[in-house]
Amino acid sequence: MKYRCIMVKSVTYAQKSKKILENNGIMAYISKQNKGDQYTCSWCVRVPYFQESTAVKLLEENGVKMTGYIFDV
Amino acid sequence: MFNKKQIYLDNAASSYPKPLPVYREVFDFMRNNGANPGRSGHKMSFAASLAVFETREKAADYFGLSNSGDVIFTKNATEALNTAIFSVFKNGKKRFLTSVMDHNSVLRPLTYLKENFGAEVDFFVCDSFLETVKEKNPEVVVCTAASNVTGNILPFDQISDYCFKHEILFIIDASQTAGYPFSYNCDIICSAGHKGLYGPQGSGLLIVKTSKGKDALSPVFFGGNGTESLNLSPEIIFPESFECGTVNTPAIVGLGAGLDFVRKNEKEIFEKEKFLQKYAFWELAGIKNVTVYTDIDNSVPIIAFNIDGVSSEEATSILADNNICVRGGYHCAPLCHELLETIPGGAIRVSIGAFNKLSDIKKLIKIVSKIKK
Protein backbone atom coordinates (compact mmCIF):
# COMPACT_ATOMS: atom_id res chain seq x y z
CA MET A 1 0.00 0.00 0.00
CA LYS A 2 1.13 3.55 -0.64
CA TYR A 3 1.55 5.85 2.32
CA ARG A 4 1.74 9.58 2.73
CA CYS A 5 4.08 11.09 5.28
CA ILE A 6 2.75 14.16 7.05
CA MET A 7 5.61 16.04 8.57
CA VAL A 8 4.99 17.63 11.98
CA LYS A 9 7.11 20.00 14.01
CA SER A 10 8.18 17.86 16.96
CA VAL A 11 8.17 14.37 18.40
CA THR A 12 5.42 15.39 20.84
CA TYR A 13 3.25 16.49 17.90
CA ALA A 14 4.06 13.18 16.21
CA GLN A 15 2.92 11.22 19.26
CA LYS A 16 -0.18 13.37 19.60
CA SER A 17 -0.96 12.95 15.89
CA LYS A 18 -0.75 9.18 16.14
CA LYS A 19 -3.15 9.20 19.06
CA ILE A 20 -5.64 11.55 17.36
CA LEU A 21 -5.57 9.60 14.11
CA GLU A 22 -5.90 6.19 15.70
CA ASN A 23 -8.79 7.43 17.86
CA ASN A 24 -10.46 8.31 14.57
CA GLY A 25 -9.79 4.97 12.93
CA ILE A 26 -6.75 5.92 10.87
CA MET A 27 -3.66 3.72 11.26
CA ALA A 28 -0.66 5.95 11.83
CA TYR A 29 3.06 5.26 12.20
CA ILE A 30 5.73 7.61 13.43
CA SER A 31 9.11 7.91 11.78
CA LYS A 32 11.95 10.37 11.65
CA GLN A 33 12.76 12.09 8.38
CA ASN A 34 15.48 14.21 6.91
CA LYS A 35 13.86 15.52 3.78
CA GLY A 36 15.66 18.47 2.25
CA ASP A 37 17.34 21.35 3.99
CA GLN A 38 14.14 22.86 5.34
CA TYR A 39 12.88 19.93 7.30
CA THR A 40 15.86 18.34 8.94
CA CYS A 41 15.45 16.27 12.10
CA SER A 42 11.71 16.30 11.60
CA TRP A 43 9.04 13.87 12.57
CA CYS A 44 6.65 12.24 10.23
CA VAL A 45 3.29 10.55 10.68
CA ARG A 46 2.62 7.97 7.98
CA VAL A 47 -0.96 7.31 6.93
CA PRO A 48 -2.51 5.33 4.04
CA TYR A 49 -2.51 7.59 0.99
CA PHE A 50 -6.30 7.61 0.64
CA GLN A 51 -6.69 8.96 4.17
CA GLU A 52 -4.31 11.88 3.77
CA SER A 53 -6.87 14.66 3.53
CA THR A 54 -8.97 13.31 6.42
CA ALA A 55 -5.83 12.98 8.51
CA VAL A 56 -4.64 16.50 7.76
CA LYS A 57 -8.07 17.92 8.61
CA LEU A 58 -8.15 16.04 11.92
CA LEU A 59 -4.69 17.21 12.84
CA GLU A 60 -5.52 20.82 11.99
CA GLU A 61 -8.69 20.67 14.06
CA ASN A 62 -6.66 19.40 17.00
CA GLY A 63 -3.98 22.07 16.87
CA VAL A 64 -1.12 19.90 15.63
CA LYS A 65 1.63 22.01 14.08
CA MET A 66 2.51 20.61 10.68
CA THR A 67 5.32 21.80 8.46
CA GLY A 68 3.10 21.73 5.38
CA TYR A 69 5.36 19.14 3.81
CA ILE A 70 3.72 15.88 2.81
CA PHE A 71 5.36 13.25 0.62
CA ASP A 72 5.06 9.69 -0.61
CA VAL A 73 6.74 6.81 1.15
CA MET B 1 22.08 1.91 54.46
CA PHE B 2 20.45 2.44 57.86
CA ASN B 3 20.86 0.04 60.73
CA LYS B 4 17.37 0.83 61.97
CA LYS B 5 14.14 1.45 60.10
CA GLN B 6 13.48 5.15 59.80
CA ILE B 7 10.16 6.85 60.48
CA TYR B 8 10.02 9.25 57.54
CA LEU B 9 8.03 12.41 58.21
CA ASP B 10 9.77 14.72 55.74
CA ASN B 11 7.48 14.30 52.72
CA ALA B 12 7.34 18.05 52.08
CA ALA B 13 11.03 17.81 51.17
CA SER B 14 10.57 14.68 49.06
CA SER B 15 8.11 11.84 49.45
CA TYR B 16 9.24 8.45 50.64
CA PRO B 17 8.66 5.65 50.05
CA LYS B 18 7.31 5.68 46.52
CA PRO B 19 4.65 3.25 45.32
CA LEU B 20 6.30 0.07 44.01
CA PRO B 21 5.41 0.71 40.34
CA VAL B 22 7.51 3.90 40.47
CA TYR B 23 10.65 1.91 41.29
CA ARG B 24 9.71 -0.73 38.69
CA GLU B 25 9.21 1.81 35.91
CA VAL B 26 12.51 3.56 36.63
CA PHE B 27 14.43 0.30 36.81
CA ASP B 28 12.68 -1.11 33.75
CA PHE B 29 13.53 1.90 31.64
CA MET B 30 17.14 2.07 32.76
CA ARG B 31 17.66 -1.67 32.46
CA ASN B 32 15.78 -2.33 29.20
CA ASN B 33 15.95 0.93 27.29
CA GLY B 34 18.02 3.94 28.16
CA ALA B 35 17.78 5.57 24.73
CA ASN B 36 17.40 9.33 24.35
CA PRO B 37 13.78 10.19 23.54
CA GLY B 38 12.97 12.37 20.55
CA ARG B 39 16.37 12.15 18.92
CA SER B 40 17.05 9.06 16.85
CA GLY B 41 14.83 7.13 14.47
CA HIS B 42 15.34 3.68 15.99
CA LYS B 43 12.93 1.55 18.01
CA MET B 44 14.53 2.25 21.38
CA SER B 45 14.35 6.01 20.89
CA PHE B 46 10.71 5.73 19.78
CA ALA B 47 9.91 3.65 22.85
CA ALA B 48 11.57 6.26 25.06
CA SER B 49 9.61 9.03 23.29
CA LEU B 50 6.38 7.15 23.80
CA ALA B 51 7.12 6.66 27.50
CA VAL B 52 7.71 10.41 27.92
CA PHE B 53 4.55 11.20 25.93
CA GLU B 54 2.46 8.88 28.10
CA THR B 55 3.57 10.64 31.27
CA ARG B 56 2.87 13.98 29.59
CA GLU B 57 -0.67 12.82 28.83
CA LYS B 58 -1.16 11.64 32.41
CA ALA B 59 0.03 14.98 33.79
CA ALA B 60 -2.24 16.86 31.36
CA ASP B 61 -5.20 14.77 32.43
CA TYR B 62 -4.41 15.23 36.12
CA PHE B 63 -4.13 19.01 35.86
CA GLY B 64 -7.15 19.37 33.59
CA LEU B 65 -5.45 20.24 30.30
CA SER B 66 -6.76 19.16 26.91
CA ASN B 67 -3.35 19.53 25.25
CA SER B 68 -0.46 17.55 26.68
CA GLY B 69 1.93 19.74 24.70
CA ASP B 70 1.37 22.34 27.41
CA VAL B 71 3.06 20.09 29.98
CA ILE B 72 6.78 20.84 30.21
CA PHE B 73 9.09 18.57 32.18
CA THR B 74 11.70 20.19 34.38
CA LYS B 75 14.11 18.72 36.88
CA ASN B 76 12.23 20.21 39.85
CA ALA B 77 9.82 22.98 40.84
CA THR B 78 12.69 25.45 41.25
CA GLU B 79 13.60 25.09 37.58
CA ALA B 80 9.94 25.43 36.59
CA LEU B 81 9.53 28.59 38.68
CA ASN B 82 12.78 30.14 37.47
CA THR B 83 11.80 29.42 33.86
CA ALA B 84 8.37 30.96 34.36
CA ILE B 85 9.58 34.04 36.27
CA PHE B 86 12.58 34.87 34.06
CA SER B 87 10.53 34.18 30.97
CA VAL B 88 7.64 36.51 31.82
CA PHE B 89 10.09 39.22 32.90
CA LYS B 90 11.96 38.88 29.62
CA ASN B 91 8.64 39.25 27.82
CA GLY B 92 7.89 42.57 29.46
CA LYS B 93 6.24 41.93 32.83
CA LYS B 94 8.01 44.05 35.47
CA ARG B 95 5.69 44.25 38.51
CA PHE B 96 5.40 41.12 40.63
CA LEU B 97 3.42 40.29 43.75
CA THR B 98 4.22 37.25 45.85
CA SER B 99 3.43 36.10 49.37
CA VAL B 100 5.52 36.09 52.53
CA MET B 101 4.83 32.36 52.75
CA ASP B 102 6.72 31.64 49.56
CA HIS B 103 9.81 29.50 49.12
CA ASN B 104 13.22 30.77 47.98
CA SER B 105 12.51 29.20 44.59
CA VAL B 106 10.15 32.17 44.09
CA LEU B 107 11.78 34.75 46.39
CA ARG B 108 15.33 34.44 45.07
CA PRO B 109 14.66 34.79 41.33
CA LEU B 110 12.38 37.76 42.08
CA THR B 111 15.02 39.33 44.34
CA TYR B 112 17.65 38.81 41.65
CA LEU B 113 15.45 40.54 39.06
CA LYS B 114 14.70 43.38 41.48
CA GLU B 115 18.33 43.97 42.47
CA ASN B 116 19.80 43.61 39.00
CA PHE B 117 17.15 44.49 36.47
CA GLY B 118 14.75 46.86 38.21
CA ALA B 119 11.79 44.52 38.68
CA GLU B 120 9.20 45.70 41.22
CA VAL B 121 8.52 43.04 43.81
CA ASP B 122 5.90 43.34 46.55
CA PHE B 123 4.59 40.93 49.15
CA PHE B 124 1.23 40.09 50.65
CA VAL B 125 0.30 38.33 53.86
CA CYS B 126 -2.48 35.78 53.28
CA ASP B 127 -5.44 37.73 54.59
CA SER B 128 -4.28 41.01 53.07
CA PHE B 129 -4.12 39.88 49.44
CA LEU B 130 -6.98 42.06 48.18
CA GLU B 131 -5.76 45.16 49.93
CA THR B 132 -2.21 44.67 48.69
CA VAL B 133 -3.03 43.75 45.11
CA LYS B 134 -5.22 46.85 44.72
CA GLU B 135 -2.49 49.05 46.12
CA LYS B 136 0.44 47.55 44.22
CA ASN B 137 -1.30 46.80 40.90
CA PRO B 138 1.05 44.00 39.80
CA GLU B 139 1.29 42.49 36.33
CA VAL B 140 2.09 39.05 37.76
CA VAL B 141 1.06 37.27 40.94
CA VAL B 142 3.30 34.30 41.69
CA CYS B 143 2.76 32.44 44.92
CA THR B 144 2.61 29.11 46.60
CA ALA B 145 -0.69 27.28 46.99
CA ALA B 146 0.32 26.18 50.50
CA SER B 147 3.21 27.03 52.79
CA ASN B 148 6.02 24.49 52.84
CA VAL B 149 6.64 25.47 56.49
CA THR B 150 3.21 25.45 58.14
CA GLY B 151 1.14 23.76 55.45
CA ASN B 152 -1.35 26.65 55.61
CA ILE B 153 -3.27 26.99 52.39
CA LEU B 154 -3.33 30.37 50.69
CA PRO B 155 -6.63 31.78 49.41
CA PHE B 156 -5.77 30.88 45.84
CA ASP B 157 -9.41 30.82 44.68
CA GLN B 158 -9.75 34.43 45.78
CA ILE B 159 -6.40 35.26 44.17
CA SER B 160 -7.33 33.64 40.88
CA ASP B 161 -10.76 35.38 40.77
CA TYR B 162 -9.07 38.74 41.16
CA CYS B 163 -6.28 37.99 38.72
CA PHE B 164 -8.58 36.78 35.98
CA LYS B 165 -10.91 39.74 36.41
CA HIS B 166 -8.03 42.20 36.20
CA GLU B 167 -5.94 40.44 33.53
CA ILE B 168 -3.07 39.74 35.93
CA LEU B 169 -0.90 36.76 35.07
CA PHE B 170 -1.19 34.19 37.86
CA ILE B 171 1.53 31.60 38.47
CA ILE B 172 0.99 29.01 41.21
CA ASP B 173 3.68 26.98 42.92
CA ALA B 174 1.73 23.78 43.56
CA SER B 175 4.65 21.83 45.03
CA GLN B 176 2.91 21.27 48.38
CA THR B 177 -0.61 20.69 47.04
CA ALA B 178 -0.11 18.58 43.92
CA GLY B 179 -1.34 15.09 44.69
CA TYR B 180 -4.18 16.36 46.88
CA PRO B 181 -7.71 17.14 45.63
CA PHE B 182 -7.34 20.78 44.61
CA SER B 183 -8.02 22.45 41.29
CA TYR B 184 -6.02 25.36 39.98
CA ASN B 185 -7.60 28.24 38.13
CA CYS B 186 -4.46 30.03 37.01
CA ASP B 187 -2.30 30.70 33.97
CA ILE B 188 0.77 28.65 34.87
CA ILE B 189 1.36 25.87 37.41
CA CYS B 190 4.83 24.94 38.64
CA SER B 191 5.25 21.80 40.68
CA ALA B 192 7.71 19.30 41.99
CA GLY B 193 7.19 15.78 40.71
CA HIS B 194 8.87 14.15 43.67
CA LYS B 195 6.66 15.25 46.54
CA GLY B 196 2.88 14.67 46.51
CA LEU B 197 2.99 13.25 42.98
CA TYR B 198 5.31 10.44 44.17
CA GLY B 199 7.69 10.68 41.25
CA PRO B 200 11.46 10.34 41.62
CA GLN B 201 13.71 13.26 42.45
CA GLY B 202 14.73 14.95 39.23
CA SER B 203 11.11 15.40 38.11
CA GLY B 204 9.19 18.65 37.99
CA LEU B 205 6.43 20.24 35.93
CA LEU B 206 5.78 23.58 34.26
CA ILE B 207 2.19 23.53 33.08
CA VAL B 208 0.58 26.14 30.89
CA LYS B 209 -3.14 26.41 31.52
CA THR B 210 -4.17 29.40 29.43
CA SER B 211 -3.28 31.15 26.20
CA LYS B 212 -2.30 34.18 28.30
CA GLY B 213 0.20 31.96 30.12
CA LYS B 214 1.48 30.57 26.84
CA ASP B 215 1.96 34.04 25.33
CA ALA B 216 3.92 35.13 28.40
CA LEU B 217 6.42 32.26 28.19
CA SER B 218 9.48 31.90 26.02
CA PRO B 219 12.59 29.76 26.53
CA VAL B 220 15.30 30.97 28.89
CA PHE B 221 17.83 28.31 28.01
CA PHE B 222 18.63 26.90 24.64
CA GLY B 223 20.12 23.84 23.04
CA GLY B 224 19.30 20.72 21.10
CA ASN B 225 15.84 19.27 21.31
CA GLY B 226 15.75 16.79 18.46
CA THR B 227 14.10 19.04 15.88
CA GLU B 228 15.34 21.34 13.09
CA SER B 229 19.01 20.85 13.94
CA LEU B 230 20.22 23.05 11.07
CA ASN B 231 18.19 26.01 12.28
CA LEU B 232 19.99 28.13 14.89
CA SER B 233 16.78 30.06 15.67
CA PRO B 234 13.92 27.62 15.39
CA GLU B 235 10.28 28.48 16.00
CA ILE B 236 9.17 28.14 19.63
CA ILE B 237 7.22 24.92 20.06
CA PHE B 238 5.63 23.72 23.28
CA PRO B 239 7.00 21.67 24.97
CA GLU B 240 10.24 20.89 23.11
CA SER B 241 11.59 24.43 23.11
CA PHE B 242 11.54 24.33 26.93
CA GLU B 243 13.09 20.86 27.21
CA CYS B 244 16.49 21.38 25.64
CA GLY B 245 19.12 18.77 26.27
CA THR B 246 18.41 15.24 27.35
CA VAL B 247 15.42 15.05 29.64
CA ASN B 248 15.48 12.88 32.75
CA THR B 249 13.58 10.02 31.14
CA PRO B 250 13.89 7.59 34.09
CA ALA B 251 12.43 10.26 36.40
CA ILE B 252 9.69 11.08 33.90
CA VAL B 253 8.57 7.48 33.51
CA GLY B 254 8.68 7.14 37.30
CA LEU B 255 6.55 10.27 37.58
CA GLY B 256 4.06 8.61 35.25
CA ALA B 257 3.71 5.75 37.72
CA GLY B 258 3.38 8.26 40.56
CA LEU B 259 0.59 10.05 38.68
CA ASP B 260 -1.21 6.72 38.23
CA PHE B 261 -1.03 6.23 42.00
CA VAL B 262 -2.36 9.67 42.95
CA ARG B 263 -5.06 9.71 40.27
CA LYS B 264 -6.44 6.49 41.67
CA ASN B 265 -6.06 7.30 45.39
CA GLU B 266 -5.99 11.08 45.75
CA LYS B 267 -9.04 11.46 47.98
CA GLU B 268 -8.11 8.55 50.24
CA ILE B 269 -4.51 9.73 50.53
CA PHE B 270 -5.61 13.21 51.59
CA GLU B 271 -8.19 11.92 54.08
CA LYS B 272 -5.72 9.54 55.68
CA GLU B 273 -2.95 12.12 55.90
CA LYS B 274 -5.32 14.74 57.33
CA PHE B 275 -6.40 12.24 59.98
CA LEU B 276 -2.78 11.65 60.97
CA GLN B 277 -2.09 15.39 60.89
CA LYS B 278 -5.06 16.13 63.16
CA TYR B 279 -4.00 13.42 65.57
CA ALA B 280 -0.47 14.82 65.69
CA PHE B 281 -1.72 18.40 65.97
CA TRP B 282 -3.94 17.80 68.98
CA GLU B 283 -1.33 15.67 70.72
CA LEU B 284 1.37 18.30 70.16
CA ALA B 285 -0.94 21.15 71.17
CA GLY B 286 -1.56 19.27 74.43
CA ILE B 287 2.14 19.20 75.34
CA LYS B 288 2.88 22.05 77.73
CA ASN B 289 6.07 23.43 76.22
CA VAL B 290 5.10 23.08 72.55
CA THR B 291 3.90 25.89 70.24
CA VAL B 292 2.18 24.86 67.01
CA TYR B 293 2.04 27.24 64.02
CA THR B 294 -0.20 25.32 61.61
CA ASP B 295 -3.85 26.18 61.02
CA ILE B 296 -5.28 22.70 61.37
CA ASP B 297 -8.53 23.65 59.63
CA ASN B 298 -6.89 25.07 56.52
CA SER B 299 -3.69 23.22 55.76
CA VAL B 300 -2.15 20.37 53.83
CA PRO B 301 -0.76 17.57 56.07
CA ILE B 302 2.20 19.49 57.49
CA ILE B 303 2.71 20.68 61.06
CA ALA B 304 5.25 23.29 62.13
CA PHE B 305 5.98 23.58 65.83
CA ASN B 306 8.61 24.44 68.39
CA ILE B 307 9.61 23.20 71.82
CA ASP B 308 10.26 26.00 74.31
CA GLY B 309 13.93 26.68 74.91
CA VAL B 310 15.10 24.09 72.37
CA SER B 311 16.24 25.18 68.91
CA SER B 312 14.60 23.38 66.02
CA GLU B 313 17.91 21.92 64.82
CA GLU B 314 18.65 20.54 68.28
CA ALA B 315 15.17 19.02 68.51
CA THR B 316 15.35 17.49 65.03
CA SER B 317 18.76 16.08 65.90
CA ILE B 318 17.27 14.33 68.93
CA LEU B 319 14.43 13.04 66.75
CA ALA B 320 16.98 11.82 64.18
CA ASP B 321 18.84 9.95 66.94
CA ASN B 322 15.51 8.21 67.55
CA ASN B 323 15.20 7.37 63.82
CA ILE B 324 12.52 9.97 63.13
CA CYS B 325 13.10 12.08 59.99
CA VAL B 326 11.76 15.64 60.15
CA ARG B 327 13.20 18.98 59.11
CA GLY B 328 14.26 21.89 61.30
CA GLY B 329 15.60 25.33 60.49
CA TYR B 330 14.14 27.83 58.05
CA HIS B 331 12.92 25.55 55.25
CA CYS B 332 14.15 27.92 52.50
CA ALA B 333 11.27 30.23 53.47
CA PRO B 334 12.82 33.18 55.33
CA LEU B 335 9.85 35.56 55.14
CA CYS B 336 7.51 32.93 56.54
CA HIS B 337 9.78 32.52 59.56
CA GLU B 338 9.91 36.30 59.96
CA LEU B 339 6.12 36.32 60.03
CA LEU B 340 6.02 33.45 62.55
CA GLU B 341 8.72 35.17 64.63
CA THR B 342 10.77 31.98 64.60
CA ILE B 343 14.07 33.67 63.85
CA PRO B 344 16.41 32.69 65.38
CA GLY B 345 15.75 29.03 65.91
CA GLY B 346 13.51 28.13 63.03
CA ALA B 347 10.81 25.51 63.48
CA ILE B 348 10.39 21.76 63.39
CA ARG B 349 8.38 20.59 60.42
CA VAL B 350 6.54 17.28 60.29
CA SER B 351 5.18 16.45 56.85
CA ILE B 352 3.03 13.37 56.48
CA GLY B 353 2.93 11.07 53.46
CA ALA B 354 0.69 8.39 52.03
CA PHE B 355 2.64 5.57 53.62
CA ASN B 356 2.82 6.93 57.17
CA LYS B 357 0.96 5.10 59.93
CA LEU B 358 -0.59 6.13 63.23
CA SER B 359 2.25 4.33 65.00
CA ASP B 360 4.72 6.73 63.32
CA ILE B 361 2.86 9.71 64.78
CA LYS B 362 2.61 8.09 68.22
CA LYS B 363 6.36 7.49 68.26
CA LEU B 364 6.95 11.13 67.24
CA ILE B 365 4.72 12.40 70.06
CA LYS B 366 6.41 10.12 72.58
CA ILE B 367 9.87 11.49 71.74
CA VAL B 368 8.75 15.14 71.47
CA SER B 369 7.10 14.96 74.86
CA LYS B 370 10.45 13.96 76.39
CA ILE B 371 12.46 16.80 74.80
CA LYS B 372 12.91 19.58 77.28
CA LYS B 373 15.12 22.64 77.65
Side-chain angles (χ1 to χ4, degrees):
Chain A
M1 189 193 296
K2 266 204 281 194
Y3 292 91
R4 294 284 277 167
C5 214
I6 303 167
M7 199 165 274
V8 295
K9 290 211 168 182
S10 73
V11 70
T12 302
Y13 279 123
Q15 299 281 6
K16 189 177 171 185
S17 301
K18 181 175 160 70
K19 186 178 172 193
I20 291 164
L21 294 173
E22 288 182 350
N23 284 347
N24 284 275
I26 299 176
M27 285 302 294
Y29 302 89
I30 296 173
S31 63
K32 199 154 183 273
Q33 294 294 335
N34 284 321
K35 281 278 184 183
D37 289 342
Q38 262 178 305
Y39 303 113
T40 55
C41 298
S42 292
W43 295 87
C44 166
V45 187
R46 272 196 305 151
V47 299
Y49 74 96
F50 58 90
Q51 291 183 303
E52 175 197 328
S53 53
T54 310
V56 167
K57 188 159 174 273
L58 278 167
L59 297 182
E60 273 169 357
E61 282 168 3
N62 284 276
V64 172
K65 286 200 176 189
M66 293 173 276
T67 64
Y69 190 47
I70 303 175
F71 52 91
D72 283 341
V73 282
Chain B
M1 198 181 282
F2 309 106
N3 57 7
K4 275 211 156 166
K5 189 171 176 345
Q6 301 294 301
I7 292 176
Y8 188 81
L9 289 165
D10 197 19
N11 291 274
S14 204
S15 54
Y16 176 83
K18 309 294 183 190
L20 280 178
V22 172
Y23 300 122
R24 274 204 296 264
E25 289 294 324
V26 174
F27 177 80
D28 185 52
F29 179 78
M30 294 197 73
R31 184 69 179 85
N32 298 315
N33 195 330
N36 199 326
R39 299 296 189 275
S40 308
H42 54 71
K43 288 178 186 171
M44 288 173 72
S45 180
F46 281 169
S49 298
L50 181 60
V52 169
F53 180 71
E54 284 173 350
T55 299
R56 216 182 287 282
E57 293 266 286
K58 288 175 187 175
D61 182 58
Y62 182 75
F63 285 99
L65 271 67
S66 56
N67 179 12
S68 60
D70 293 334
V71 173
I72 296 163
F73 293 120
T74 59
K75 67 174 181 286
N76 47 37
T78 299
E79 182 183 317
L81 286 159
N82 272 262
T83 300
I85 289 168
F86 280 100
S87 177
V88 307
F89 180 81
K90 186 161 72 82
N91 291 331
K93 307 279 185 201
K94 306 294 178 208
R95 299 193 309 277
F96 294 82
L97 180 67
T98 186
S99 88
V100 297
M101 306 302 276
D102 266 76
H103 187 277
N104 275 339
S105 53
V106 170
L107 302 180
R108 282 182 175 172
L110 289 178
T111 302
Y112 178 82
L113 287 174
K114 179 180 173 180
E115 290 178 352
N116 295 280
F117 296 99
E120 289 175 38
V121 181
D122 292 297
F123 300 88
F124 69 91
V125 184
C126 297
D127 48 8
S128 74
F129 169 73
L130 280 178
E131 185 190 313
T132 313
V133 75
K134 286 172 187 169
E135 185 195 332
K136 299 297 179 185
N137 191 28
E139 294 168 293
V140 184
V141 171
V142 48
C143 67
T144 186
S147 166
N148 72 305
V149 179
T150 61
N152 292 352
I153 298 168
L154 273 67
F156 56 87
D157 285 341
Q158 182 194 61
I159 296 170
S160 75
D161 283 345
Y162 189 91
C163 287
F164 276 90
K165 225 178 263 182
H166 295 85
E167 297 276 311
I168 299 171
L169 192 74
F170 183 28
I171 302 170
I172 281 188
D173 174 7
S175 298
Q176 298 300 333
T177 51
Y180 299 133
F182 293 101
S183 56
Y184 306 94
N185 192 16
C186 60
D187 296 297
I188 295 168
I189 300 170
C190 299
S191 181
H194 62 96
K195 299 181 200 259
L197 296 178
Y198 290 88
Q201 290 172 16
S203 64
L205 295 161
L206 170 57
I207 291 171
V208 190
K209 288 211 82 176
T210 64
S211 54
K212 183 157 112 241
K214 206 162 190 167
D215 290 341
L217 285 176
S218 60
V220 294
F221 63 97
F222 302 86
N225 56 18
T227 57
E228 294 192 79
S229 292
L230 292 186
N231 189 345
L232 296 181
S233 297
E235 179 190 350
I236 295 172
I237 294 173
F238 283 72
E240 276 82 359
S241 295
F242 296 84
E243 294 177 356
C244 296
T246 303
V247 295
N248 189 340
T249 316
I252 291 169
V253 301
L255 175 60
L259 282 161
D260 288 337
F261 173 70
V262 298
R263 283 192 313 174
K264 204 169 145 195
N265 302 294
E266 185 184 65
K267 191 161 164 284
E268 290 77 9
I269 290 170
F270 190 61
E271 282 172 4
K272 175 196 165 177
E273 290 182 24
K274 281 297 292 181
F275 165 75
L276 293 177
Q277 182 205 22
K278 283 177 183 173
Y279 185 95
F281 176 87
W282 290 112
E283 288 290 320
L284 287 167
I287 301 172
K288 208 164 136 191
N289 57 338
V290 167
T291 306
V292 184
Y293 304 102
T294 296
D295 177 355
I296 194 59
D297 295 320
N298 184 42
S299 54
V300 294
I302 290 174
I303 301 176
F305 68 98
N306 267 318
I307 303 167
D308 291 349
V310 182
S311 79
S312 67
E313 298 288 12
E314 198 184 332
T316 52
S317 177
I318 295 169
L319 287 163
D321 289 342
N322 284 275
N323 303 303
I324 298 175
C325 306
V326 295
R327 184 176 172 189
Y330 303 115
H331 311 96
C332 303
L335 302 185
C336 178
H337 282 281
E338 260 181 41
L339 182 73
L340 297 176
E341 297 180 355
T342 46
I343 300 175
I348 305 158
R349 179 187 71 189
V350 170
S351 46
I352 295 161
F355 297 98
N356 283 122
K357 304 186 286 290
L358 186 58
S359 55
D360 297 338
I361 306 298
K362 285 181 175 177
K363 175 93 191 276
L364 167 79
I365 302 301
K366 185 177 168 192
I367 305 299
V368 169
S369 61
K370 289 182 184 166
I371 300 174
K372 286 182 186 2
K373 191 173 165 178

